[in-house]
């Protein structure tokens, strides 16, 4: 029975990986990076790159409450619904509104999903952000060497699957040359060390500031810092997902 269970989990792992993008987008003057590691065989984190009309790319990240197979099943639903809503709705606020309605209809209300949706226009260099209870995107500004949130607390709506019929608000930012956007799930900030210390948002900013600022280098440095912090632990405390993208200098 154990061998059968292990086979099933391996299959679940492969199916889940198939819901994640198998390659990064390409756009002139832009760079993309993504990293995903489940705490168990399968996990409840999600990210996606969705090619949209008019030189736009949907960049999504999400985190289903809980871990393991139930979270992974709901993550698969979020993935397909987010793609459908993004491709059929005219804008990101409508897409996230519709996505929330679909999650209500699923009736899986014992679990909620935090979700961050971005639509990048690679010609206009604009980024629309809609945040449903997720950690806001972190934007590194090359000109000032400063970090800012991609949306305010007031612009952050409820996680998906909690309340129906609630509108979501979008924030729009312009990306200048050298600016990088960082999306993470809370498995990054809440990553535990051997002696049970949280990595924290402080750890995130220390890692992001510690070297070259291209999207790929910032993303990889954050992955390495989380791995170092958790060194010696048998397992990750939570799923870890990091997505970075931005304009090259």
């Amino acid at each position: 029975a154990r061998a059968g269970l292990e086979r099933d989990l391996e299959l679940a792992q492969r199916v889940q990986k198939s819901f994640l993008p198998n390659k990064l987008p390409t756009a002139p003057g832009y760079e993309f990076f993504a990293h995903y590691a489940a705490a168990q065989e399968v996990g409840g984190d999600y990210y996606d790159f969705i090619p949209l009309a008019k030189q736009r790319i949907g960049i999504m990240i999400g985190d289903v409450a809980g871990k393991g197979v139930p979270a992974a099943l709901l993550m698969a639903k979020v993935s397909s619904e987010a793609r459908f809503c993004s491709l059929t709705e005219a804008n990101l606020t409508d897409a996230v509104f519709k996505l929330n309605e679909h999650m209500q209809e699923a009736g899986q209300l014992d679990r909620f999903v935090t979700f961050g949706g971005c639509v990048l226009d690679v010609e206009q260099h604009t980024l629309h952000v809609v945040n449903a209870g997720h950690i806001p995107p972190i934007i590194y500004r090359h000109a000032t060497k400063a970090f800012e949130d991609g949306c305010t607390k007031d612009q952050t709506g409820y996680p998906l699957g909690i309340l129906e019929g609630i509108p979501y608000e979008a924030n729009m930012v312009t990306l200048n040359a050298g600016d990088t956007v960082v999306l993470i799930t809370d498995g990054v900030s809440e990553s535990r060390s051997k002696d049970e210390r949280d990595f924290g948002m402080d750890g995130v900013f220390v890692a992001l500031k510690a070297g070259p600022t291209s999207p790929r280098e910032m993303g990889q440095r954050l992955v390495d810092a989380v791995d170092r912090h958790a060194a010696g632990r048998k397992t990750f405390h939570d799923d870890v997902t990091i997505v970075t993208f931005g304009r090259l200098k």
Side-chain angles (χ1 to χ4, degrees):
R2 189 172 176 81
L5 184 63
E6 276 172 14
R7 259 203 319 277
D8 285 354
L9 275 173
E10 255 172 54
L11 175 62
Q13 214 170 4
R14 282 208 300 279
V15 170
Q16 177 163 41
K17 285 238 163 77
S18 76
F19 277 96
L20 298 170
N22 58 3
K23 59 181 197 294
L24 296 169
T26 55
Y30 278 85
E31 186 175 74
F32 298 83
F33 170 91
H35 169 86
Y36 174 89
Q40 298 175 6
E41 284 82 355
V42 289
D45 274 11
Y46 144 86
Y47 76 94
D48 202 0
F49 300 109
I50 305 168
L52 302 170
K54 301 190 201 127
Q55 301 296 309
R56 294 173 310 139
I57 302 168
I59 300 153
M60 313 294 174
I61 192 164
D63 185 355
V64 176
K67 292 191 279 285
V69 173
L73 286 169
L74 192 48
M75 171 271 191
K77 181 174 175 61
V78 171
S79 171
S80 55
E81 296 283 12
R83 202 159 254 266
F84 173 75
C85 294
S86 300
L87 292 166
T88 53
E89 293 299 321
N91 60 49
L92 185 59
T93 41
D94 292 349
V96 176
F97 178 85
K98 186 80 151 290
L99 179 59
N100 184 46
E101 299 298 286
H102 284 211
M103 298 319 287
Q104 304 289 340
E105 286 158 22
Q108 283 147 323
L109 298 187
D110 56 333
R111 286 174 188 272
F112 62 88
V113 182
T114 68
F115 182 86
C118 298
V119 171
L120 172 66
D121 185 319
V122 299
E123 282 193 335
Q124 305 291 325
H125 306 303
T126 56
L127 185 73
H128 283 85
V129 176
V130 172
N131 194 13
H134 200 76
I135 298 168
I138 299 163
I139 301 176
Y140 170 77
R141 296 294 193 183
H142 175 64
T144 56
K145 310 282 183 275
F147 291 92
E148 61 186 58
D149 284 344
C151 61
T152 64
K153 280 198 171 66
D154 290 347
Q155 287 166 326
T156 295
Y158 284 102
L160 304 175
I162 290 186
L163 282 175
E164 58 185 314
I166 46 171
Y168 286 91
E169 198 181 320
N171 187 36
M172 190 190 90
V173 293
T174 299
L175 296 181
N176 302 308
D179 289 353
T180 290
V181 182
V182 180
L183 306 176
I184 61 172
T185 55
D186 62 10
V188 176
S189 54
E190 293 172 10
S191 169
R192 294 266 170 86
S193 64
K194 213 170 166 182
D195 56 1
E196 297 298 325
R197 276 179 311 110
D198 273 3
F199 186 62
M201 289 307 289
D202 288 350
V204 171
F205 286 113
V206 166
L208 293 176
K209 284 174 185 166
T213 56
S214 76
R216 198 177 50 74
E217 287 166 313
M218 282 180 128
Q220 190 58 56
R221 208 163 48 241
L222 188 50
V223 171
D224 296 343
V226 171
D227 285 350
R228 275 198 308 275
H229 181 78
R233 282 185 76 93
K234 294 268 185 294
T235 57
F236 269 121
H237 171 65
D238 196 1
D239 307 325
V240 168
T241 303
I242 297 166
V243 175
T244 60
F245 60 95
R247 279 182 76 180
L248 296 168
K249 297 189 200 42

Coordinates of all heavy atoms in Angstrom, one line a residue, residues 87-159:
L87 N -8.3 35.6 -19.6 CA -8.4 35.6 -21.1 C -9.8 36.1 -21.5 O -10.0 36.5 -22.7 CB -8.1 34.2 -21.6 CG -6.6 33.8 -21.5 CD1 -6.4 32.3 -21.8 CD2 -5.7 34.6 -22.5
T88 N -10.8 36.0 -20.6 CA -12.1 36.3 -21.1 C -12.6 37.6 -20.5 O -13.6 38.2 -21.0 CB -13.1 35.2 -20.6 OG1 -13.0 35.0 -19.2 CG2 -12.9 33.9 -21.4
E89 N -12.0 38.2 -19.5 CA -12.4 39.5 -19.0 C -11.5 40.6 -19.6 O -10.3 40.4 -19.9 CB -12.3 39.5 -17.5 CG -13.3 38.6 -16.8 CD -14.7 38.9 -17.1 OE1 -15.1 40.1 -17.1 OE2 -15.5 38.0 -17.3
A90 N -12.1 41.8 -19.7 CA -11.4 42.9 -20.4 C -10.3 43.5 -19.6 O -9.3 43.9 -20.1 CB -12.4 44.1 -20.7
N91 N -10.4 43.4 -18.2 CA -9.3 44.0 -17.4 C -9.1 43.1 -16.2 O -9.9 42.2 -15.9 CB -9.5 45.4 -17.1 CG -10.8 45.6 -16.3 OD1 -11.1 44.9 -15.3 ND2 -11.7 46.5 -16.8
L92 N -8.0 43.4 -15.5 CA -7.6 42.6 -14.3 C -8.6 42.7 -13.2 O -8.8 41.7 -12.5 CB -6.2 43.1 -13.9 CG -5.5 42.3 -12.8 CD1 -5.3 40.9 -13.2 CD2 -4.1 43.0 -12.4
T93 N -9.2 43.8 -12.9 CA -10.1 43.9 -11.8 C -11.3 43.0 -12.0 O -11.8 42.3 -11.1 CB -10.6 45.4 -11.5 OG1 -10.9 46.0 -12.8 CG2 -9.6 46.2 -10.7
D94 N -11.8 43.0 -13.3 CA -13.0 42.2 -13.6 C -12.5 40.7 -13.5 O -13.3 39.8 -13.1 CB -13.5 42.4 -15.0 CG -14.1 43.8 -15.1 OD1 -14.4 44.4 -14.1 OD2 -14.4 44.3 -16.3
A95 N -11.3 40.4 -14.0 CA -10.8 39.0 -14.0 C -10.8 38.5 -12.5 O -11.2 37.3 -12.3 CB -9.5 38.9 -14.6
V96 N -10.3 39.3 -11.6 CA -10.1 38.8 -10.2 C -11.5 38.7 -9.5 O -11.8 37.8 -8.8 CB -9.2 39.7 -9.4 CG1 -9.1 39.3 -7.9 CG2 -7.7 39.7 -10.0
F97 N -12.4 39.7 -9.9 CA -13.8 39.6 -9.4 C -14.4 38.3 -9.8 O -15.0 37.6 -9.0 CB -14.6 40.8 -9.9 CG -16.0 40.8 -9.5 CD1 -16.4 41.4 -8.3 CD2 -17.0 40.2 -10.3 CE1 -17.7 41.4 -7.9 CE2 -18.3 40.2 -9.9 CZ -18.7 40.8 -8.7
K98 N -14.3 38.0 -11.1 CA -14.8 36.7 -11.7 C -14.2 35.5 -11.0 O -14.9 34.5 -10.7 CB -14.6 36.8 -13.2 CG -15.2 35.6 -13.9 CD -16.7 35.9 -14.2 CE -17.2 35.3 -15.5 NZ -16.7 35.9 -16.7
L99 N -12.9 35.6 -10.8 CA -12.2 34.5 -10.2 C -12.7 34.2 -8.8 O -12.9 33.0 -8.4 CB -10.7 34.8 -10.2 CG -9.7 33.8 -9.5 CD1 -9.8 32.4 -10.2 CD2 -8.3 34.3 -9.6
N100 N -12.9 35.3 -8.1 CA -13.5 35.1 -6.7 C -14.9 34.4 -6.8 O -15.2 33.6 -6.0 CB -13.6 36.5 -6.0 CG -14.1 36.4 -4.6 OD1 -13.6 35.5 -3.8 ND2 -15.0 37.2 -4.2
E101 N -15.7 34.9 -7.8 CA -17.0 34.2 -7.9 C -16.9 32.7 -8.2 O -17.6 31.9 -7.6 CB -17.8 34.9 -9.1 CG -18.1 36.4 -8.9 CD -18.9 36.7 -7.6 OE1 -20.1 36.5 -7.7 OE2 -18.3 37.2 -6.6
H102 N -16.0 32.4 -9.1 CA -15.8 31.0 -9.4 C -15.3 30.2 -8.2 O -15.7 29.0 -8.0 CB -14.7 30.8 -10.5 CG -15.3 31.2 -11.9 ND1 -14.8 30.6 -13.0 CD2 -16.2 32.1 -12.3 CE1 -15.5 31.1 -14.1 NE2 -16.3 32.0 -13.6
M103 N -14.5 30.8 -7.4 CA -14.0 30.1 -6.1 C -15.2 29.9 -5.2 O -15.3 28.9 -4.5 CB -12.9 30.8 -5.5 CG -11.6 31.0 -6.3 SD -11.1 29.5 -7.3 CE -10.5 28.5 -6.0
Q104 N -16.1 30.8 -5.1 CA -17.3 30.7 -4.3 C -18.2 29.5 -4.8 O -18.6 28.7 -4.0 CB -18.2 32.0 -4.3 CG -17.5 33.2 -4.0 CD -17.2 33.3 -2.5 OE1 -17.8 32.6 -1.7 NE2 -16.3 34.2 -2.2
E105 N -18.3 29.5 -6.1 CA -19.2 28.4 -6.7 C -18.6 27.1 -6.4 O -19.3 26.1 -6.4 CB -19.4 28.7 -8.2 CG -20.3 29.8 -8.5 CD -20.1 30.4 -9.9 OE1 -19.5 29.6 -10.8 OE2 -20.4 31.5 -10.2
A106 N -17.3 27.0 -6.3 CA -16.7 25.7 -6.1 C -17.1 25.1 -4.7 O -16.9 23.9 -4.5 CB -15.1 25.9 -6.2
G107 N -17.5 26.0 -3.8 CA -18.0 25.6 -2.5 C -16.9 25.1 -1.6 O -17.2 24.4 -0.6
Q108 N -15.6 25.4 -1.9 CA -14.5 25.0 -1.1 C -14.2 26.1 0.0 O -13.1 26.5 0.1 CB -13.3 24.7 -1.9 CG -13.5 23.3 -2.6 CD -12.8 23.3 -4.0 OE1 -12.8 24.3 -4.7 NE2 -12.3 22.2 -4.4
L109 N -15.2 26.5 0.7 CA -15.0 27.7 1.5 C -14.3 27.4 2.8 O -14.1 28.3 3.6 CB -16.4 28.4 1.7 CG -17.0 28.9 0.4 CD1 -18.3 29.7 0.7 CD2 -16.1 29.7 -0.5
D110 N -14.0 26.2 3.0 CA -13.2 25.9 4.3 C -11.7 26.3 4.0 O -10.9 26.3 4.9 CB -13.3 24.5 4.7 CG -12.9 23.5 3.6 OD1 -13.0 23.9 2.4 OD2 -12.4 22.4 3.9
R111 N -11.4 26.6 2.8 CA -10.1 27.1 2.4 C -10.2 28.4 1.6 O -11.0 28.5 0.7 CB -9.4 26.1 1.5 CG -8.9 24.9 2.2 CD -8.4 23.8 1.3 NE -8.2 22.6 2.1 CZ -7.1 22.4 2.8 NH1 -6.1 23.2 2.7 NH2 -7.0 21.3 3.5
F112 N -9.3 29.3 2.0 CA -9.3 30.5 1.2 C -7.9 30.6 0.4 O -7.0 29.8 0.7 CB -9.5 31.8 2.0 CG -8.5 32.0 3.1 CD1 -7.3 32.7 2.8 CD2 -8.6 31.5 4.3 CE1 -6.3 33.0 3.7 CE2 -7.7 31.8 5.3 CZ -6.5 32.5 5.0
V113 N -7.9 31.5 -0.5 CA -6.7 31.6 -1.4 C -6.2 33.1 -1.4 O -7.0 34.0 -1.8 CB -7.0 31.2 -2.8 CG1 -5.7 31.3 -3.7 CG2 -7.6 29.8 -2.9
T114 N -5.0 33.4 -1.0 CA -4.5 34.7 -1.2 C -3.9 34.8 -2.6 O -3.4 33.8 -3.1 CB -3.4 35.1 -0.2 OG1 -2.2 34.4 -0.4 CG2 -3.9 35.0 1.2
F115 N -4.1 35.9 -3.3 CA -3.8 35.9 -4.7 C -3.3 37.3 -5.1 O -3.9 38.3 -4.7 CB -5.1 35.6 -5.5 CG -5.0 35.6 -7.0 CD1 -4.6 34.4 -7.6 CD2 -5.2 36.7 -7.8 CE1 -4.5 34.3 -9.0 CE2 -5.1 36.6 -9.2 CZ -4.7 35.4 -9.8
G116 N -2.3 37.3 -5.9 CA -1.8 38.6 -6.4 C -1.7 38.5 -7.9 O -1.1 37.6 -8.5
G117 N -2.5 39.4 -8.6 CA -2.5 39.5 -10.0 C -1.8 40.7 -10.6 O -2.1 41.8 -10.1
C118 N -1.0 40.5 -11.6 CA -0.3 41.7 -12.2 C -0.5 41.5 -13.7 O -0.5 40.4 -14.3 CB 1.2 41.7 -12.0 SG 1.6 41.8 -10.3
V119 N -0.8 42.6 -14.4 CA -0.7 42.6 -15.9 C 0.3 43.6 -16.3 O 0.3 44.8 -16.0 CB -2.1 42.9 -16.5 CG1 -2.0 43.1 -18.0 CG2 -3.1 41.8 -16.2
L120 N 1.3 43.1 -17.0 CA 2.5 43.9 -17.5 C 2.2 44.2 -19.0 O 2.0 43.3 -19.8 CB 3.8 43.1 -17.3 CG 5.0 43.7 -17.9 CD1 5.4 45.0 -17.2 CD2 6.2 42.7 -17.9
D121 N 2.3 45.5 -19.3 CA 2.3 46.0 -20.7 C 3.7 46.3 -21.1 O 4.3 47.3 -20.6 CB 1.4 47.2 -20.8 CG 1.2 47.6 -22.3 OD1 2.2 47.6 -23.0 OD2 0.1 48.0 -22.6
V122 N 4.3 45.4 -21.9 CA 5.7 45.5 -22.2 C 6.0 46.7 -23.2 O 7.2 47.0 -23.4 CB 6.3 44.2 -22.7 CG1 6.2 43.1 -21.7 CG2 5.7 43.7 -24.0
E123 N 5.0 47.2 -23.8 CA 5.2 48.4 -24.7 C 5.0 49.7 -24.0 O 5.8 50.6 -24.1 CB 4.2 48.3 -25.9 CG 4.7 47.3 -27.0 CD 3.9 47.5 -28.3 OE1 2.8 48.0 -28.3 OE2 4.5 47.1 -29.3
Q124 N 4.0 49.8 -23.1 CA 3.7 51.0 -22.4 C 4.6 51.0 -21.1 O 4.6 52.1 -20.4 CB 2.2 51.1 -22.0 CG 1.3 51.1 -23.2 CD 1.4 52.3 -24.0 OE1 1.6 53.4 -23.6 NE2 1.2 52.1 -25.4
H125 N 5.1 49.9 -20.7 CA 5.9 49.7 -19.4 C 5.0 50.0 -18.2 O 5.5 50.6 -17.2 CB 7.1 50.6 -19.4 CG 8.0 50.4 -20.6 ND1 8.5 49.2 -21.0 CD2 8.4 51.2 -21.6 CE1 9.2 49.2 -22.1 NE2 9.2 50.5 -22.5
T126 N 3.8 49.6 -18.3 CA 2.9 49.8 -17.1 C 2.6 48.5 -16.5 O 2.6 47.4 -17.2 CB 1.5 50.5 -17.5 OG1 0.9 49.6 -18.5 CG2 1.7 51.9 -18.0
L127 N 2.3 48.5 -15.2 CA 2.0 47.3 -14.4 C 0.7 47.6 -13.7 O 0.6 48.5 -12.9 CB 3.1 46.9 -13.5 CG 2.9 45.6 -12.7 CD1 3.1 44.4 -13.6 CD2 3.9 45.5 -11.5
H128 N -0.4 46.8 -13.9 CA -1.6 46.9 -13.1 C -1.5 45.8 -12.1 O -1.2 44.6 -12.4 CB -2.8 46.7 -14.0 CG -3.2 47.9 -14.8 ND1 -2.6 48.2 -16.0 CD2 -4.0 48.9 -14.5 CE1 -3.1 49.4 -16.5 NE2 -3.9 49.8 -15.6
V129 N -1.8 46.1 -10.9 CA -1.8 45.2 -9.7 C -3.1 45.1 -9.1 O -3.7 46.1 -8.7 CB -0.7 45.7 -8.7 CG1 -0.7 44.7 -7.5 CG2 0.7 45.8 -9.3
V130 N -3.6 43.9 -8.9 CA -4.8 43.6 -8.1 C -4.4 42.6 -7.0 O -3.9 41.6 -7.3 CB -6.0 43.1 -8.9 CG1 -7.2 42.7 -8.0 CG2 -6.5 44.2 -9.9
N131 N -4.7 43.0 -5.8 CA -4.2 42.1 -4.7 C -5.4 41.6 -3.8 O -6.1 42.4 -3.2 CB -3.2 42.9 -3.8 CG -2.4 42.0 -2.9 OD1 -2.4 40.8 -3.0 ND2 -1.8 42.6 -1.9
A132 N -5.5 40.3 -3.7 CA -6.5 39.7 -2.9 C -5.9 39.0 -1.7 O -5.6 37.8 -1.7 CB -7.3 38.7 -3.7
G133 N -5.6 39.9 -0.7 CA -5.1 39.4 0.6 C -3.7 38.8 0.6 O -3.2 38.1 1.5
H134 N -2.9 39.1 -0.5 CA -1.6 38.5 -0.7 C -0.5 39.5 -0.2 O -0.9 40.7 -0.1 CB -1.4 38.1 -2.1 CG -0.3 37.1 -2.3 ND1 -0.4 35.8 -2.0 CD2 1.0 37.3 -2.7 CE1 0.8 35.1 -2.3 NE2 1.6 36.0 -2.7
I135 N 0.7 39.1 -0.1 CA 1.8 40.0 0.2 C 1.9 40.9 -1.1 O 2.0 40.4 -2.2 CB 3.1 39.3 0.4 CG1 3.1 38.4 1.6 CG2 4.3 40.3 0.5 CD1 4.2 37.4 1.7
P136 N 1.9 42.3 -0.9 CA 1.9 43.1 -2.1 C 3.2 42.9 -2.9 O 4.3 42.6 -2.3 CB 1.9 44.5 -1.5 CG 1.4 44.4 -0.1 CD 1.8 43.0 0.3
P137 N 3.2 43.1 -4.2 CA 4.4 43.1 -5.0 C 5.4 44.1 -4.4 O 5.0 45.2 -3.9 CB 4.0 43.5 -6.4 CG 2.5 43.3 -6.4 CD 2.0 43.5 -5.0
I138 N 6.7 43.7 -4.4 CA 7.7 44.6 -4.0 C 8.4 45.2 -5.2 O 8.8 44.4 -6.1 CB 8.8 43.9 -3.2 CG1 8.2 43.3 -1.9 CG2 10.0 44.8 -2.8 CD1 9.1 42.2 -1.3
I139 N 8.5 46.5 -5.3 CA 9.0 47.1 -6.5 C 10.4 47.8 -6.2 O 10.4 48.7 -5.3 CB 8.1 48.1 -7.2 CG1 6.8 47.4 -7.6 CG2 8.7 48.7 -8.4 CD1 5.7 48.3 -8.1
Y140 N 11.4 47.3 -6.8 CA 12.7 48.0 -6.6 C 12.9 49.1 -7.7 O 12.7 48.8 -8.9 CB 13.9 47.0 -6.8 CG 15.2 47.6 -6.8 CD1 15.8 48.1 -5.7 CD2 15.9 47.8 -8.0 CE1 17.1 48.7 -5.7 CE2 17.1 48.4 -8.1 CZ 17.7 48.9 -6.9 OH 18.9 49.5 -7.0
R141 N 13.1 50.3 -7.2 CA 13.3 51.4 -8.2 C 14.8 51.7 -8.4 O 15.5 52.1 -7.4 CB 12.6 52.7 -7.6 CG 11.1 52.5 -7.4 CD 10.5 52.4 -8.8 NE 9.0 52.6 -8.7 CZ 8.2 52.5 -9.8 NH1 8.7 52.2 -11.0 NH2 6.9 52.7 -9.7
H142 N 15.2 51.4 -9.6 CA 16.7 51.6 -9.9 C 17.2 53.0 -9.7 O 18.3 53.2 -9.2 CB 16.9 51.1 -11.3 CG 18.3 51.4 -11.8 ND1 19.4 50.7 -11.2 CD2 18.8 52.2 -12.8 CE1 20.5 51.1 -11.8 NE2 20.2 52.0 -12.8
A143 N 16.3 54.0 -10.0 CA 16.8 55.4 -10.0 C 17.1 55.8 -8.5 O 18.0 56.6 -8.3 CB 15.7 56.3 -10.6
T144 N 16.2 55.4 -7.6 CA 16.4 55.8 -6.2 C 17.0 54.7 -5.3 O 17.2 55.0 -4.1 CB 15.0 56.2 -5.6 OG1 14.1 55.1 -5.7 CG2 14.4 57.4 -6.4
K145 N 17.2 53.5 -5.8 CA 17.6 52.4 -5.0 C 16.7 52.1 -3.9 O 17.1 51.5 -2.9 CB 19.1 52.6 -4.5 CG 20.1 53.1 -5.5 CD 20.6 51.9 -6.4 CE 21.7 52.4 -7.3 NZ 21.1 52.9 -8.6
A146 N 15.4 52.5 -4.0 CA 14.5 52.3 -2.9 C 13.5 51.2 -3.3 O 13.3 50.8 -4.5 CB 13.7 53.6 -2.7
F147 N 12.8 50.6 -2.3 CA 11.7 49.6 -2.5 C 10.4 50.3 -2.2 O 10.3 51.1 -1.2 CB 11.9 48.4 -1.6 CG 13.1 47.6 -1.9 CD1 14.4 47.9 -1.3 CD2 13.0 46.6 -2.8 CE1 15.5 47.1 -1.7 CE2 14.2 45.8 -3.2 CZ 15.4 46.1 -2.6
E148 N 9.4 49.9 -2.9 CA 8.0 50.4 -2.6 C 7.0 49.2 -2.8 O 7.3 48.3 -3.5 CB 7.6 51.6 -3.5 CG 7.6 51.3 -5.0 CD 7.4 52.6 -5.8 OE1 8.2 53.6 -5.7 OE2 6.4 52.6 -6.6
D149 N 5.9 49.3 -2.2 CA 4.8 48.3 -2.4 C 4.1 48.6 -3.7 O 3.8 49.7 -4.1 CB 3.8 48.4 -1.3 CG 4.4 47.7 0.0 OD1 5.4 47.0 -0.1 OD2 3.8 47.9 1.1
G150 N 3.7 47.5 -4.4 CA 3.0 47.6 -5.6 C 1.5 48.0 -5.5 O 0.9 48.4 -6.4
C151 N 1.1 48.0 -4.2 CA -0.3 48.5 -3.9 C -0.3 48.8 -2.4 O 0.5 48.3 -1.7 CB -1.4 47.5 -4.3 SG -1.2 46.0 -3.4
T152 N -1.3 49.6 -2.0 CA -1.4 50.0 -0.6 C -2.3 49.0 0.1 O -2.9 48.2 -0.5 CB -2.1 51.4 -0.5 OG1 -3.4 51.3 -1.0 CG2 -1.4 52.5 -1.3
K153 N -2.3 49.1 1.5 CA -3.2 48.3 2.3 C -4.6 48.5 1.9 O -5.4 47.5 1.8 CB -2.9 48.6 3.8 CG -1.7 47.9 4.4 CD -1.8 47.9 5.9 CE -0.7 47.0 6.5 NZ 0.6 47.6 6.3
D154 N -5.0 49.7 1.6 CA -6.4 50.1 1.3 C -6.8 49.4 0.0 O -7.9 49.1 -0.3 CB -6.6 51.6 1.2 CG -6.5 52.2 2.6 OD1 -6.5 51.5 3.6 OD2 -6.4 53.5 2.6
Q155 N -5.8 49.3 -0.9 CA -6.1 48.7 -2.3 C -6.2 47.2 -2.2 O -6.6 46.5 -3.2 CB -5.1 49.1 -3.3 CG -5.2 50.6 -3.7 CD -4.0 51.1 -4.4 OE1 -2.9 50.7 -4.2 NE2 -4.2 52.0 -5.4
T156 N -5.7 46.6 -1.1 CA -5.7 45.1 -1.0 C -7.1 44.6 -0.6 O -7.6 45.1 0.5 CB -4.6 44.7 0.1 OG1 -3.3 45.1 -0.5 CG2 -4.6 43.2 0.3
G157 N -7.6 43.7 -1.4 CA -9.0 43.2 -1.1 C -8.9 41.9 -0.3 O -7.8 41.4 0.1
Y158 N -10.0 41.3 0.0 CA -10.1 40.0 0.7 C -9.5 38.9 -0.1 O -9.6 38.9 -1.3 CB -11.5 39.7 1.0 CG -12.1 40.5 2.1 CD1 -13.0 41.5 1.9 CD2 -11.9 40.2 3.5 CE1 -13.6 42.2 2.9 CE2 -12.4 40.9 4.5 CZ -13.3 41.9 4.2 OH -13.9 42.6 5.2
P159 N -8.9 37.9 0.5 CA -8.5 36.7 -0.2 C -9.7 36.1 -1.0 O -10.9 36.4 -0.6 CB -8.1 35.7 0.9 CG -7.7 36.6 2.0 CD -8.6 37.8 2.0

